[in-house]
Amino acid sequence: MPGSKSVRWLFGLTALILLGVPITSAPQQSKPAAVGPAPSPTELASEQDHQRLMDLLHIKTIRPGADPNHPDAPNAVNYDESKANPFPTLPDPLVMKNGEKVTTAEMWWNKRCPEIVEDFDREVYGRLPTEIPRVHWQVTSQKKDSVGGLSVVTKKLVGHVDNSAFPSVTVDIQATLVTPATAPGSVPVIIELAFDPVLMRKLFERLAARGVKLPPPPPGPSWQQQVLAKDWGYAELLTTSVQADNGDGLTAGIIGLSNHGLPRKLDDWGALKAWAWGASRLLDYFETDKSVNARQVGVMGHSRFGKAALVAMAYDQRFAIGFISSSGMGGANLYRRNFGERLENLAGTGEYHWMAGNYIKYAGPLTPNDLPVDSHELIALCAPRPVFIGSGADKGDAWVDSKGMFMAEAAAGPVYELLGKKGLGTGQMPPVGRALLDGELAFREHSDGHTPAPNWPAFLTFAAQYLHAPSPRK
Ligand code: GCU
């Protein structure tokens, strides 16, 4: 199963960020052609691919990202709130590009929403290709199981992507679905966009070899047990089976397969959009599985997968709710902020593959203030559906900038209100540990570091207002 408990608690480690350890996987495996030599994907290292995009953008240099390791460096990370808002004015989600005010739900859906989507597509996350090969889902195993003493049915799922147009790239999406064995009907399901447990194990071995001591797992039931205790199910999607988490892999995976092995154009999709696409395909499968109530499926992700979960929520109206954990820059945090990670970090060779090529230009010569959109508008694209944004207050999660995410969420409020819902209800950040759960926009900063674990109970309380297990049989 993607992500056992022992692996899961470990990614709460501050060390992941502070040691700057990349979490990468090998590019997708190529399979030999059946007849004659099939064309293979273009092989480019991330540095070469990044340079290729810089050339296409006619850029010679970009500003470096925030440096968390050298306090005296000119680009040392900023954790001083008085310097965190170099660009305090955000684009107004309720003003059209022509200056017209958006005053009705109809105007939002028909006019303003498409403008915002177009800007995110072209400049930030990239466009979906016009033709993406179809996915054929297969249940490869089904068995009765027990999780924390609760009886469940576990299904292993593989989504085979049709590669007949480019056979040298294979994409088999891997996921696991776990539902309560005694459910009287179809149940709500929370999809986690999961880290690859094999890669995580290797990473922790490397950390242990450097003498980094690992904290004990958090006490109490795992998030999976908490979800099952509500009589809901959960699913874990192995994101890197959709798209590798590095620039070298962009000519393989679903991005490479759709491009027939060629490098990306400047507005082609990046890995965040590809992972979000994978979540949508899993939801397609759920629409065919009677054990799942496909109208009550939530999407959850932490850190880079928190970014992807927010993209999935924003782009696919079928997701009923989102739990966006420590997503930071590229997720819920404002690009116009300078606290912890900056826009520039995501434009560098280690993370550019998450984004569209066009995004790089905002790290030079343009600035974050030149972006036509900001992340409050990505959150607004989720309206009117409920979204919970969470993070940690410990310095181990400072990099993701809780305040910036809170500000973005507050600034998405007017769109929720236009659609007849409630936003956060305040512009004042609540004290650490207090959850704001009264509107469709929810927020909580727990007191720990870079981990979603302490926020699961608050998220589930919030979600229980919207998701309902089937009533027991009479
Ligand atoms: C790095 C990166 C973040 C990302 C995080 C993670 O710290 O800078 O943007 O969210 O890794 O995914 O763990």
Side-chain angles (χ1 to χ4, degrees), residues 11 16-17 21 23 195 302-305 307 326-329 341 345-346 351 354 399-400 450:
F11 71 69
L16 281 183
I17 285 179
V21 182
I23 307 171
F195 281 82
H302 175 68
S303 214
R304 67 199 62 194
F305 300 122
K307 308 179 206 298
S326 296
S327 60
M329 198 49 78
E341 188 166 31
N345 292 80
L346 273 69
E351 298 178 357
W354 293 342
W399 187 241
V400 309
H450 192 54

mmCIF file of all heavy atoms in Angstrom, residues 11 16-17 21 23 195 302-305 307 326-329 341 345-346 351 354 399-400 450, ligand 1:
data_model
loop_
_atom_site.group_PDB
_atom_site.id
_atom_site.type_symbol
_atom_site.label_atom_id
_atom_site.label_comp_id
_atom_site.label_asym_id
_atom_site.label_seq_id
_atom_site.Cartn_x
_atom_site.Cartn_y
_atom_site.Cartn_z
ATOM 1 N N PHE A 11 7.467 11.720 7.235
ATOM 2 C CA PHE A 11 7.620 12.879 6.373
ATOM 3 C C PHE A 11 7.226 14.162 7.086
ATOM 4 O O PHE A 11 7.249 15.233 6.529
ATOM 5 C CB PHE A 11 6.985 12.698 5.001
ATOM 6 C CG PHE A 11 5.494 12.687 4.904
ATOM 7 C CD1 PHE A 11 4.758 13.834 5.140
ATOM 8 C CD2 PHE A 11 4.847 11.533 4.521
ATOM 9 C CE1 PHE A 11 3.400 13.824 5.008
ATOM 10 C CE2 PHE A 11 3.487 11.520 4.396
ATOM 11 C CZ PHE A 11 2.760 12.666 4.638
ATOM 12 N N LEU A 16 13.644 17.226 6.249
ATOM 13 C CA LEU A 16 13.435 17.154 4.801
ATOM 14 C C LEU A 16 13.722 18.487 4.149
ATOM 15 O O LEU A 16 14.329 18.575 3.100
ATOM 16 C CB LEU A 16 11.970 16.823 4.514
ATOM 17 C CG LEU A 16 11.552 15.391 4.657
ATOM 18 C CD1 LEU A 16 10.093 15.259 4.264
ATOM 19 C CD2 LEU A 16 12.409 14.541 3.756
ATOM 20 N N ILE A 17 13.218 19.522 4.817
ATOM 21 C CA ILE A 17 13.369 20.854 4.254
ATOM 22 C C ILE A 17 14.732 21.419 4.581
ATOM 23 O O ILE A 17 15.448 21.872 3.712
ATOM 24 C CB ILE A 17 12.284 21.781 4.828
ATOM 25 C CG1 ILE A 17 10.959 21.447 4.161
ATOM 26 C CG2 ILE A 17 12.639 23.223 4.620
ATOM 27 C CD1 ILE A 17 9.825 22.261 4.665
ATOM 28 N N VAL A 21 16.956 18.030 1.136
ATOM 29 C CA VAL A 21 17.086 16.735 0.476
ATOM 30 C C VAL A 21 16.018 16.599 -0.602
ATOM 31 O O VAL A 21 14.837 16.736 -0.307
ATOM 32 C CB VAL A 21 16.899 15.594 1.493
ATOM 33 C CG1 VAL A 21 17.087 14.237 0.835
ATOM 34 C CG2 VAL A 21 17.883 15.758 2.632
ATOM 35 N N ILE A 23 13.358 14.924 -3.034
ATOM 36 C CA ILE A 23 12.591 13.676 -3.031
ATOM 37 C C ILE A 23 12.288 13.373 -4.482
ATOM 38 O O ILE A 23 11.332 13.876 -5.039
ATOM 39 C CB ILE A 23 11.285 13.827 -2.239
ATOM 40 C CG1 ILE A 23 11.593 14.363 -0.839
ATOM 41 C CG2 ILE A 23 10.543 12.517 -2.157
ATOM 42 C CD1 ILE A 23 10.374 14.752 -0.071
ATOM 43 N N PHE A 195 3.160 10.321 -0.977
ATOM 44 C CA PHE A 195 4.599 10.204 -1.244
ATOM 45 C C PHE A 195 4.905 8.738 -1.557
ATOM 46 O O PHE A 195 4.233 7.839 -1.051
ATOM 47 C CB PHE A 195 5.413 10.609 -0.008
ATOM 48 C CG PHE A 195 5.542 12.093 0.192
ATOM 49 C CD1 PHE A 195 4.530 12.822 0.790
ATOM 50 C CD2 PHE A 195 6.682 12.767 -0.211
ATOM 51 C CE1 PHE A 195 4.651 14.196 0.993
ATOM 52 C CE2 PHE A 195 6.815 14.139 -0.008
ATOM 53 C CZ PHE A 195 5.795 14.849 0.592
ATOM 54 N N HIS A 302 -0.099 16.747 1.265
ATOM 55 C CA HIS A 302 0.794 17.481 2.165
ATOM 56 C C HIS A 302 2.004 17.965 1.374
ATOM 57 O O HIS A 302 2.542 17.237 0.547
ATOM 58 C CB HIS A 302 1.243 16.545 3.292
ATOM 59 C CG HIS A 302 2.261 17.142 4.210
ATOM 60 N ND1 HIS A 302 1.976 18.183 5.056
ATOM 61 C CD2 HIS A 302 3.579 16.855 4.391
ATOM 62 C CE1 HIS A 302 3.068 18.504 5.733
ATOM 63 N NE2 HIS A 302 4.049 17.723 5.348
ATOM 64 N N SER A 303 2.407 19.212 1.670
ATOM 65 C CA SER A 303 3.614 19.766 1.087
ATOM 66 C C SER A 303 3.493 19.856 -0.434
ATOM 67 O O SER A 303 2.510 20.405 -0.928
ATOM 68 C CB SER A 303 4.810 18.930 1.535
ATOM 69 O OG SER A 303 5.931 19.748 1.683
ATOM 70 N N ARG A 304 4.418 19.262 -1.214
ATOM 71 C CA ARG A 304 4.272 19.364 -2.673
ATOM 72 C C ARG A 304 2.950 18.741 -3.124
ATOM 73 O O ARG A 304 2.344 19.174 -4.100
ATOM 74 C CB ARG A 304 5.467 18.729 -3.389
ATOM 75 C CG ARG A 304 5.590 17.252 -3.240
ATOM 76 C CD ARG A 304 6.989 16.784 -3.565
ATOM 77 N NE ARG A 304 7.969 17.376 -2.643
ATOM 78 C CZ ARG A 304 9.285 17.367 -2.823
ATOM 79 N NH1 ARG A 304 9.791 16.794 -3.878
ATOM 80 N NH2 ARG A 304 10.096 17.926 -1.943
ATOM 81 N N PHE A 305 2.502 17.739 -2.383
ATOM 82 C CA PHE A 305 1.230 17.112 -2.772
ATOM 83 C C PHE A 305 0.032 17.883 -2.209
ATOM 84 O O PHE A 305 -1.101 17.662 -2.638
ATOM 85 C CB PHE A 305 1.228 15.636 -2.386
ATOM 86 C CG PHE A 305 2.360 14.901 -3.071
ATOM 87 C CD1 PHE A 305 3.322 14.217 -2.346
ATOM 88 C CD2 PHE A 305 2.493 14.954 -4.449
ATOM 89 C CE1 PHE A 305 4.381 13.586 -2.985
ATOM 90 C CE2 PHE A 305 3.552 14.333 -5.101
ATOM 91 C CZ PHE A 305 4.503 13.641 -4.364
ATOM 92 N N LYS A 307 0.109 21.148 -2.652
ATOM 93 C CA LYS A 307 -0.031 22.022 -3.819
ATOM 94 C C LYS A 307 -0.891 21.306 -4.864
ATOM 95 O O LYS A 307 -1.843 21.860 -5.415
ATOM 96 C CB LYS A 307 1.335 22.334 -4.442
ATOM 97 C CG LYS A 307 2.414 22.863 -3.479
ATOM 98 C CD LYS A 307 3.738 23.108 -4.215
ATOM 99 C CE LYS A 307 5.002 23.026 -3.369
ATOM 100 N NZ LYS A 307 5.216 23.916 -2.303
ATOM 101 N N SER A 326 0.148 22.228 4.558
ATOM 102 C CA SER A 326 1.495 22.802 4.403
ATOM 103 C C SER A 326 1.907 22.915 2.934
ATOM 104 O O SER A 326 2.998 22.512 2.553
ATOM 105 C CB SER A 326 2.527 21.956 5.164
ATOM 106 O OG SER A 326 2.265 21.995 6.549
ATOM 107 N N SER A 327 1.030 23.479 2.126
ATOM 108 C CA SER A 327 1.285 23.494 0.670
ATOM 109 C C SER A 327 2.269 24.592 0.275
ATOM 110 O O SER A 327 2.980 24.458 -0.717
ATOM 111 C CB SER A 327 -0.029 23.657 -0.081
ATOM 112 O OG SER A 327 -0.659 24.862 0.279
ATOM 113 N N GLY A 328 2.297 25.691 1.026
ATOM 114 C CA GLY A 328 3.309 26.728 0.801
ATOM 115 C C GLY A 328 3.310 27.304 -0.605
ATOM 116 O O GLY A 328 2.274 27.368 -1.286
ATOM 117 N N MET A 329 4.489 27.707 -1.045
ATOM 118 C CA MET A 329 4.635 28.354 -2.348
ATOM 119 C C MET A 329 4.267 27.374 -3.469
ATOM 120 O O MET A 329 4.639 26.211 -3.427
ATOM 121 C CB MET A 329 6.091 28.815 -2.487
ATOM 122 C CG MET A 329 6.341 29.838 -3.545
ATOM 123 S SD MET A 329 5.222 31.248 -3.524
ATOM 124 C CE MET A 329 5.848 32.257 -2.197
ATOM 125 N N GLU A 341 9.851 30.040 1.756
ATOM 126 C CA GLU A 341 10.105 29.763 0.338
ATOM 127 C C GLU A 341 9.540 30.870 -0.547
ATOM 128 O O GLU A 341 8.488 31.429 -0.262
ATOM 129 C CB GLU A 341 9.475 28.418 -0.054
ATOM 130 C CG GLU A 341 9.869 27.994 -1.447
ATOM 131 C CD GLU A 341 9.556 26.533 -1.751
ATOM 132 O OE1 GLU A 341 8.580 25.994 -1.198
ATOM 133 O OE2 GLU A 341 10.291 25.930 -2.544
ATOM 134 N N ASN A 345 12.346 29.979 -5.723
ATOM 135 C CA ASN A 345 12.773 28.598 -5.439
ATOM 136 C C ASN A 345 12.128 27.631 -6.429
ATOM 137 O O ASN A 345 12.753 26.686 -6.912
ATOM 138 C CB ASN A 345 12.398 28.178 -4.013
ATOM 139 C CG ASN A 345 13.195 28.938 -2.970
ATOM 140 O OD1 ASN A 345 12.872 30.071 -2.648
ATOM 141 N ND2 ASN A 345 14.255 28.339 -2.446
ATOM 142 N N LEU A 346 10.847 27.903 -6.734
ATOM 143 C CA LEU A 346 10.119 26.989 -7.619
ATOM 144 C C LEU A 346 10.508 27.178 -9.085
ATOM 145 O O LEU A 346 10.116 26.377 -9.929
ATOM 146 C CB LEU A 346 8.608 27.188 -7.478
ATOM 147 C CG LEU A 346 7.931 26.376 -6.373
ATOM 148 C CD1 LEU A 346 8.328 26.854 -5.001
ATOM 149 C CD2 LEU A 346 6.433 26.412 -6.517
ATOM 150 N N GLU A 351 12.848 22.441 -8.810
ATOM 151 C CA GLU A 351 11.390 22.425 -8.630
ATOM 152 C C GLU A 351 10.598 22.933 -9.830
ATOM 153 O O GLU A 351 9.371 22.869 -9.840
ATOM 154 C CB GLU A 351 11.018 23.253 -7.376
ATOM 155 C CG GLU A 351 11.613 22.684 -6.096
ATOM 156 C CD GLU A 351 11.330 23.476 -4.812
ATOM 157 O OE1 GLU A 351 10.694 24.548 -4.878
ATOM 158 O OE2 GLU A 351 11.754 23.029 -3.742
ATOM 159 N N TRP A 354 7.520 21.252 -11.482
ATOM 160 C CA TRP A 354 6.155 21.275 -10.925
ATOM 161 C C TRP A 354 5.265 22.226 -11.727
ATOM 162 O O TRP A 354 4.051 22.126 -11.684
ATOM 163 C CB TRP A 354 6.186 21.757 -9.461
ATOM 164 C CG TRP A 354 6.864 20.828 -8.502
ATOM 165 C CD1 TRP A 354 7.138 19.506 -8.701
ATOM 166 C CD2 TRP A 354 7.334 21.134 -7.185
ATOM 167 N NE1 TRP A 354 7.758 18.982 -7.592
ATOM 168 C CE2 TRP A 354 7.885 19.958 -6.642
ATOM 169 C CE3 TRP A 354 7.345 22.300 -6.416
ATOM 170 C CZ2 TRP A 354 8.445 19.901 -5.365
ATOM 171 C CZ3 TRP A 354 7.895 22.251 -5.140
ATOM 172 C CH2 TRP A 354 8.436 21.060 -4.622
ATOM 173 N N TRP A 399 8.938 27.563 6.622
ATOM 174 C CA TRP A 399 9.214 27.618 5.175
ATOM 175 C C TRP A 399 7.926 27.763 4.358
ATOM 176 O O TRP A 399 7.904 28.345 3.294
ATOM 177 C CB TRP A 399 9.949 26.320 4.826
ATOM 178 C CG TRP A 399 10.507 26.119 3.463
ATOM 179 C CD1 TRP A 399 10.149 25.137 2.584
ATOM 180 C CD2 TRP A 399 11.561 26.847 2.811
ATOM 181 N NE1 TRP A 399 10.898 25.202 1.439
ATOM 182 C CE2 TRP A 399 11.786 26.253 1.561
ATOM 183 C CE3 TRP A 399 12.339 27.949 3.177
ATOM 184 C CZ2 TRP A 399 12.733 26.693 0.659
ATOM 185 C CZ3 TRP A 399 13.298 28.412 2.275
ATOM 186 C CH2 TRP A 399 13.488 27.796 1.047
ATOM 187 N N VAL A 400 6.816 27.175 4.847
ATOM 188 C CA VAL A 400 5.572 27.187 4.048
ATOM 189 C C VAL A 400 4.738 28.442 4.294
ATOM 190 O O VAL A 400 3.753 28.668 3.602
ATOM 191 C CB VAL A 400 4.704 25.925 4.273
ATOM 192 C CG1 VAL A 400 5.514 24.660 4.120
ATOM 193 C CG2 VAL A 400 3.993 25.941 5.626
ATOM 194 N N HIS A 450 6.466 20.206 10.124
ATOM 195 C CA HIS A 450 6.002 19.971 8.747
ATOM 196 C C HIS A 450 5.272 18.634 8.640
ATOM 197 O O HIS A 450 5.800 17.662 8.092
ATOM 198 C CB HIS A 450 7.226 20.018 7.831
ATOM 199 C CG HIS A 450 6.898 20.089 6.381
ATOM 200 N ND1 HIS A 450 6.070 21.042 5.842
ATOM 201 C CD2 HIS A 450 7.287 19.311 5.331
ATOM 202 C CE1 HIS A 450 5.981 20.861 4.537
ATOM 203 N NE2 HIS A 450 6.699 19.810 4.203
HETATM 204 C C1 GCU B 1 10.667 21.507 -0.337
HETATM 205 C C2 GCU B 1 10.023 22.540 -1.232
HETATM 206 C C3 GCU B 1 8.560 22.795 -0.872
HETATM 207 C C4 GCU B 1 7.831 21.490 -0.790
HETATM 208 C C5 GCU B 1 8.550 20.561 0.167
HETATM 209 C C6 GCU B 1 7.947 19.151 0.249
HETATM 210 O O1 GCU B 1 10.822 22.044 0.936
HETATM 211 O O2 GCU B 1 10.750 23.737 -1.138
HETATM 212 O O3 GCU B 1 7.953 23.612 -1.837
HETATM 213 O O4 GCU B 1 6.497 21.698 -0.416
HETATM 214 O O5 GCU B 1 9.867 20.360 -0.267
HETATM 215 O O6 GCU B 1 7.215 18.736 -0.621
HETATM 216 O O7 GCU B 1 8.282 18.451 1.213
#
